[in-house]
Amino acid sequence: MQVSKLLDLYGREGLSPGHSACQGCGATIAVRQVLLAAEPPYIVVSPTGCLEVISTPYPYTAWRVPWVHVAFENAAAVASGIEAALRVLERKGLGRRHKIIVIGGDGGTFDIGLQAISGAFERGHDLLYVCYDNEAYMNTGIQRSAATPIGSVTTTTPAGKRERKKDIVSILVSHGSPYVATASPHLWKDLANKVRKAQSIEGPTFLHIVAPCPRGWYYDSSLTIKIAKLAVETRVFPIYEVENGKYRINYLISRPRPVEEYLRLQSRFAYLLRPENAALLEEFKRWVEERWNQLLKLAAAFPP
Amino acid sequence: MSRRPELLIPIVFEAGNTSLRKVANWRSNRPVIERRLCTNCLICWIYCPEPAIYMDNAGNVQIDYDHCKGCGICAEECPRKAIKMVMENV
Amino acid sequence: MYSLTSSRLMTGNEAVAYAVKQADVDFISAYPITPQTIIVERLSEYVSSGEVDAEFVPVESEHSALSACIGASLTGARVFTSTSSQGLALMHEVMYIASGLRCPIVMAVANRALSAPLNIHGDHSDIMGSRDSGWVLIFAENPQEVYDYIIQAFRLAEHPEVLLPVAVNLDGFTVSHSSEPVAVLEDAVVRSYLPRNPRPRLEYEEPSSFGVFALPSHYFEFKVEQERVLRRAGELVEEISRAYPNSHGRLVKLSKFNEDGRIAVICMGGTTGTVRHALKHHGLEDFSLISLKLFSPFPGKELLEALSEAEGVVVMDRATSPGAALPPLASNVAATLYEGGVSLPLLSVVYGLGGREPTLKMVLEMLDKAEERLRARGRAVSRMYLGYGGGVA
C-alpha cells in the first residue's frame, strides 16, 4: 500500500526514544522512517556502528522489533542465515518467514561488509539492505571511509580526502539486484514508498540513504534535514531508482543550486573551500557533474 | 516459551525499553509549540530523531520533554514556524 | 533398546555428514576447504536429493559461514557447519560471538595445520588457536566416534542449561579420509534422541534484541557466566551420553587403556589408536593410555582420578604454542596436576605437525625413551619433538 500522508505512518514506530544518538542525528531519522514504512513481520539486522551502539546499551534496547547485531563485516551473511533458516522452519512448521531488513552504516556497507553483501546479493536472498550513509566512520570518531566524498576532512584525511566516493549503487546494480534506490529523509514519502516497494520485491534489494551527521560534518544540529535537502538539490546526492536494470531519476534537478551552498554549511568542507584548494573544489564539482550526466545517460538508455 | 530470565544472556527481552531512560539533560534549548500556529501536520514528528514528538488523545502534537534532546530540527522544519527554541533555565 | 542398522563403510567426513543428516538439521552453511570439503559435498547432495529437509547456504567465506550460522541459530533452527585450518582461523572472531550469543551450533573441524608455510595436512593448530573461544571442544579418534559424537554434540549444545556451540574435531586425512565400518542408528532413533527445545529466538511477536553491547558494568558478569555454563556443559556430558541409544558410542570425557600402567600417556584424536596399538601389541604394561575426548571444558577432576596411581605422565600435543611455557594439552595437564597438589614428572611431546603422522615405530621409540627422560629429569618437565628431523629429537 502506498504511503501518501504522514498519518499512514503514525503509530508504527520501530525505534523508541531514550537511545543515545547525538542531537540531530540523521541516521536515526532515516532508520525511524524505514521502520515506520516497513511491513511486518520483519527482523532487523545491524552491523557494528553508530546505530548499534546508540540503540542497545545493555540492559536497554531502543528496538521495538526483533533485532540482531553480530559483528561489523557480516550483517549480510547473518541476514542470509536468518532468511534461509526461516524458510526451512516454515516448511517444517517450526517457525515462519519474516521480511529481513539489514540497516548498516557506510563503513559496514561500502568497506568492511562489502564481501558479505556481495555474497548475499549473488546468492539472491530475499532481503532489503538499507545503508544510512553518513560518509565516514562516525562511531570511532570520524575517520574516512569509501563513502567519504572528495575534499572532506576526517580525522584520517586531515587535508581532505583525495579520492572520489565509491559508487555503491552501481556495484549492487551489477549484482543483478531487482531493485536498488537512493533516498533522503527530507523526502519522507519517497523514502517510505521505496521501502515498501523494495519489500514487495522478491530477492536482494538495496536502499542507499543520505544521513547527515552534525558531529562529523560539523554543522548545527538543527540543520540535518536542510542539509539532506541541499545534497539532493545540488545534485550531490541524486535521488533515483534502478528496477531490473531500468533507471528512473525520481527528482530531476533541472536547475541545481550551487554546490557551494551545500558545502559552506559544513565545516568538514572548510578546507576544500579555501582559495588555495580551488583545484580540489573543481574536482568535487566535476565528480557531481559527471555522475549526474552518467545518470541521465543511463536513464535515457535504460528507461523504465 | 522463549523467555529465560534465569539465564544471564546478553539479550534484551524488554523491547523499546530505552524509553525508560530520560535524556532531557542533554538539552540546552527546548522546543515550544505555539498552539495558535500549529496545524498538527506531523512534519516535526517525521523529522525528529528520537522520536520525542507525539499526538495526544485530542490529536494535538506534543513534545515529549523526557526524551527531547533539543536538536532544533522541528523548529527549523516546521512549515508554519509554530515551534520556537527557548533556552532552558539552568 | 537401541537398534543399529548394518554397519556402513564410511570415512570420518562421511560419518559427519551422515550424522548431521540423521540429526534432522535445518540449516547448513559452509565454505570449501581441505580436508573438510567432503562433509559439505555430501551434505549438499543430501539437501539436493531431499534426504534432509534443510537449507544449504554456500557462502563466500568461512567468516560468512559462521555468521550465517549465528543468524540461523537465532531463529531457533538446528545448525551445522564445518571447516579446517585457515577457514577456522578466519572464523575466529565469529567463534567468540557464537558462544557469547549462546548459539548451539555444531561444527566439525577436520583439523589441519596453519600456514605459513601452507600445508593441507593434519595437526591440531587450527582448533588450538580458538581454544579460548568458549566452545565445547570434543576430539574423536575414528569415524565411529565422529558419528556418535556429532549426534551427541547436538544434544549437548541444545541442552536448555547449555546453549553453547560445540566443535567435534577429527584429524585431517587420518580420520577425515580413512574408511572404517561405522555402526549407525536408525533415523527415527536419532530423531527421538534429539528433541527440539525452545530457546530465545528472533520473532516479530516477541521482539528481543540480540547482540547488544555491554559496558564495564555488565560485561564481566556475562563472561564469568559463560564460563560457568561451559563447566556445566561438562557436567552434563554424562547425562546426555547416558541417553544415547548406542551404549558403545557414548561420549566420555576420557577413556583409559591399560589402567595399571605406571606411566600415563595422554593423547587426543587419531593418534590415540596408534598408541593403544603399541601398548596392546608390544607388551608395554608399564604404560597406560588416557584418550582425552573432551578438551574444553577440561575434565580436570576425571584426569586427576585417572592419574591417581601414575608415576609419570607423557602428554602428546599435535600443536605447538610458540613462546608459551607448554603446548596446549600439556599446559592444561600441568595446571590440573598443580591444582590437585600432585607432583608428577611430565614429558611434553609435540608430534605430527603438518601431517607428519607418527608411525608405530616412532611411538615405540618415544615410549622407549619416555621412561628414561622422566626418570632422568626427576620431578620436572621435559620436552620432546616426536618425528622431527625424521625421528625423535
Side-chain angles (χ1 to χ4, degrees):
Chain A
M1 206 188 66
Q2 282 278 309
V3 173
S4 58
K5 54 187 189 303
L6 284 168
L7 276 176
D8 294 341
L9 299 175
Y10 191 81
R12 301 167 57 92
E13 216 70 65
L15 212 58
S16 271
H19 54 68
S20 321
C22 302
Q23 284 137 320
C25 171
T28 37
I29 303 172
V31 172
R32 267 193 69 224
Q33 292 184 1
V34 168
L35 301 180
L36 287 168
E39 296 283 16
Y42 61 87
I43 291 166
V44 178
V45 183
S46 292
T48 311
C50 277
L51 180 63
E52 166 258 329
V53 169
I54 60 118
S55 63
T56 61
Y58 183 87
Y60 295 104
T61 180
W63 298 90
R64 300 171 62 168
V65 294
W67 176 88
V68 57
H69 154 253
V70 176
F72 202 175
E73 66 279 61
N74 61 359
V78 174
S80 304
I82 297 170
E83 191 265 346
L86 288 176
R87 224 183 301 149
V88 63
L89 290 182
E90 182 166 286
R91 222 158 50 215
K92 290 179 169 178
L94 297 169
R96 60 169 179 161
R97 288 188 70 177
H98 284 57
K99 296 180 194 305
I100 312 299
I101 307 175
V102 186
I103 310 180
D106 48 291
T109 305
F110 286 62
D111 287 342
I112 198 167
L114 190 60
Q115 177 180 320
I117 294 170
S118 178
F121 275 62
E122 182 270 332
R123 292 188 302 272
H125 292 278
D126 188 18
L127 54 86
L128 164 60
Y129 192 109
V130 177
C131 174
Y132 65 90
D133 183 2
N134 52 27
E135 303 195 323
Y137 290 89
M138 299 315 185
N139 187 35
T140 43
I142 321 162
Q143 292 80 31
R144 66 93 85 178
S145 77
T148 305
I150 195 162
S152 178
V153 166
T154 67
T155 54
T156 49
T157 52
K161 193 186 166 192
R162 298 287 144 160
E163 302 79 23
R164 289 184 175 190
K165 185 184 176 88
K166 190 188 276 184
D167 182 359
I168 194 76
V169 169
S170 295
I171 291 171
L172 291 152
V173 170
S174 303
H175 277 73
S177 166
Y179 187 71
V180 185
T182 67
S184 164
H186 86 281
L187 299 165
W188 56 268
K189 199 189 299 179
D190 175 75
L191 188 154
N193 283 318
K194 281 174 172 166
V195 170
R196 293 262 166 106
K197 189 169 187 175
Q199 275 193 309
S200 73
I201 293 170
E202 181 89 16
T205 55
F206 189 87
L207 190 55
H208 179 203
I209 307 179
V210 59
C213 168
R215 180 66 190 81
W217 295 11
Y218 299 94
Y219 65 83
D220 184 85
S221 67
S222 65
L223 299 178
T224 296
I225 294 298
K226 197 128 291 168
I227 284 175
K229 189 164 184 255
L230 276 168
V232 172
E233 292 178 351
T234 53
R235 294 178 176 166
V236 168
F237 195 88
I239 302 294
Y240 62 107
E241 60 190 345
V242 190
E243 197 173 348
N244 295 316
K246 316 277 191 230
Y247 284 72
R248 180 190 286 119
I249 302 176
N250 306 105
Y251 288 83
L252 200 62
I253 310 296
S254 44
R255 277 178 303 163
R257 299 168 79 144
V259 167
E260 286 84 350
E261 277 189 41
Y262 172 72
L263 302 177
R264 249 184 238 121
L265 284 177
Q266 309 168 52
S267 298
R268 65 172 171 153
F269 293 119
Y271 182 83
L272 178 66
L273 292 168
R274 283 190 205 163
E276 66 268 30
N277 294 320
L280 200 57
L281 178 61
E282 280 314 302
E283 178 55 23
F284 186 99
K285 289 179 176 174
R286 208 163 25 244
W287 166 65
V288 171
E289 193 184 336
E290 281 178 18
R291 220 162 36 109
W292 182 263
N293 289 336
Q294 186 197 28
L295 203 54
L296 288 177
K297 279 184 205 150
L298 285 166
F302 308 103
Chain B
M1 180 214 61
S2 67
R3 228 172 231 238
R4 230 169 240 299
E6 74 273 18
L7 288 183
L8 186 59
I9 294 186
I11 300 172
V12 181
F13 294 104
E14 294 74 27
N17 66 353
T18 49
S19 58
L20 301 172
R21 301 167 85 211
K22 310 255 185 284
V23 286
N25 59 356
W26 290 39
R27 191 172 61 227
S28 49
N29 292 289
R30 66 159 52 204
V32 176
I33 301 174
E34 200 166 331
R35 285 285 151 215
R36 181 171 62 82
L37 297 173
C38 176
T39 61
N40 300 311
C41 71
L42 288 174
I43 282 289
C44 54
W45 165 78
I46 195 69
Y47 293 146
C48 176
E50 300 309 315
I53 294 173
Y54 64 99
M55 261 192 306
D56 66 15
N57 292 335
N60 289 319
V61 166
Q62 303 287 359
I63 308 284
D64 167 4
Y65 288 110
D66 283 341
H67 297 113
C68 170
K69 294 172 186 153
C71 69
I73 291 176
C74 54
E76 185 72 28
E77 297 303 324
C78 176
R80 308 256 306 168
K81 300 280 167 229
I83 304 176
K84 301 258 175 311
M85 297 304 289
V86 179
M87 195 185 283
E88 292 281 355
N89 296 318
V90 184
Chain C
M1 254 302 278
Y2 65 87
S3 52
L4 297 175
T5 62
S6 55
S7 298
R8 288 164 174 261
L9 193 66
M10 283 195 258
T11 64
N13 281 346
E14 289 166 340
V16 170
Y18 198 81
V20 170
K21 176 184 82 124
Q22 290 189 307
D24 187 26
V25 71
D26 302 315
F27 181 91
I28 304 150
S29 185
Y31 187 82
I33 186 168
T34 305
Q36 154 276 165
T37 311
I38 293 157
I39 299 174
V40 288
E41 286 177 350
R42 286 289 176 281
L43 285 169
S44 308
E45 286 165 22
Y46 291 144
V47 171
S48 110
S49 67
E51 283 177 84
V52 58
D53 187 7
E55 287 286 331
F56 178 82
V57 177
V59 282
E60 78 296 335
S61 75
E62 288 89 352
H63 193 284
S64 282
L66 192 54
S67 302
C69 285
I70 289 178
S73 184
L74 293 177
T75 68
R78 181 167 289 161
V79 173
F80 175 80
T81 186
S82 65
T83 193
S84 297
S85 182
Q86 309 303 125
L88 190 74
L90 188 57
M91 283 183 179
H92 183 72
E93 175 199 25
V94 197
M95 287 186 75
Y96 285 76
I97 303 173
S99 59
L101 287 178
R102 306 287 295 277
C103 294
I105 296 162
V106 172
M107 170 159 68
V109 183
N111 303 113
R112 166 183 151 183
L114 285 173
S115 196
L118 190 79
N119 177 297
I120 61 162
H121 296 280
D123 75 31
H124 296 162
S125 309
D126 51 6
I127 194 66
M128 288 308 168
S130 292
R131 67 178 162 149
D132 296 335
S133 62
W135 286 50
V136 174
L137 302 179
I138 295 169
F139 283 80
E141 182 186 322
N142 51 46
Q144 180 70 57
E145 286 189 0
V146 167
Y147 169 82
D148 292 320
Y149 295 173
I150 287 280
I151 294 172
Q152 289 168 83
F154 280 108
R155 174 90 173 230
L156 184 61
E158 293 174 9
H159 191 290
E161 287 184 61
V162 177
L163 298 182
L164 282 177
V166 179
V168 175
N169 292 272
L170 54 153
D171 286 59
F173 293 107
T174 43
V175 180
S176 71
H177 284 60
S178 298
S179 291
E180 279 181 23
V182 174
V184 297
L185 297 161
E186 302 272 6
D187 289 357
V189 173
V190 177
R191 289 217 184 185
S192 63
Y193 175 68
L194 296 176
R196 299 216 175 230
N197 307 316
R199 58 177 196 263
R201 68 197 170 116
L202 290 160
E203 159 60 49
Y204 191 77
E205 294 304 326
E206 305 156 15
S208 305
S209 294
F210 295 77
V212 301
F213 82 93
L215 289 167
S217 55
H218 291 89
Y219 181 89
F220 204 157
E221 278 68 26
F222 282 131
K223 288 291 137 185
V224 173
E225 166 69 2
Q226 217 182 301
E227 208 172 322
R228 186 194 67 75
V229 170
L230 187 57
R231 296 269 159 222
R232 180 68 185 135
E235 291 164 17
L236 288 165
V237 163
E238 206 183 319
E239 180 190 313
I240 66 104
S241 68
R242 209 184 313 120
Y244 187 62
N246 181 357
S247 58
H248 302 297
R250 287 176 185 164
L251 172 64
V252 290
K253 294 176 190 172
L254 53 86
S255 74
K256 282 193 75 174
F257 180 77
N258 258 9
E259 300 217 18
D260 298 332
R262 292 178 299 112
I263 297 167
V265 181
I266 305 175
C267 189
M268 299 192 299
T271 307
T272 322
T274 315
V275 177
R276 189 183 296 105
H277 182 93
L279 302 194
K280 195 170 175 178
H281 298 287
H282 293 267
L284 299 171
E285 285 166 10
D286 275 352
F287 292 92
S288 70
L289 168 67
I290 296 174
S291 172
L292 200 72
K293 312 295 183 190
L294 186 67
F295 179 76
S296 173
F298 197 76
K301 188 166 74 73
E302 290 79 2
L303 186 65
L304 281 174
E305 277 167 26
L307 292 174
S308 58
E309 304 291 324
E311 293 171 16
V313 56
V314 178
V315 187
M316 297 180 70
D317 267 284
R318 201 170 184 176
T320 55
S321 296
L326 282 170
L329 180 55
S331 79
N332 267 326
V333 171
T336 299
L337 292 172
Y338 190 81
E339 191 173 2
V342 180
S343 185
L344 279 182
L346 186 150
L347 171 61
S348 166
V349 179
V350 169
Y351 74 98
L353 298 189
R356 186 165 298 172
E357 297 300 332
T359 60
L360 179 62
K361 184 165 167 277
M362 280 156 67
V363 169
L364 288 170
E365 276 180 38
M366 174 193 83
L367 295 172
D368 189 43
K369 299 208 171 178
E371 191 151 20
E372 180 195 333
R373 291 276 184 105
L374 287 165
R375 224 183 5 246
R377 303 282 180 98
R379 297 186 177 280
V381 170
S382 51
R383 291 176 177 80
M384 180 190 284
Y385 290 97
L386 177 62
Y388 173 76
V392 177

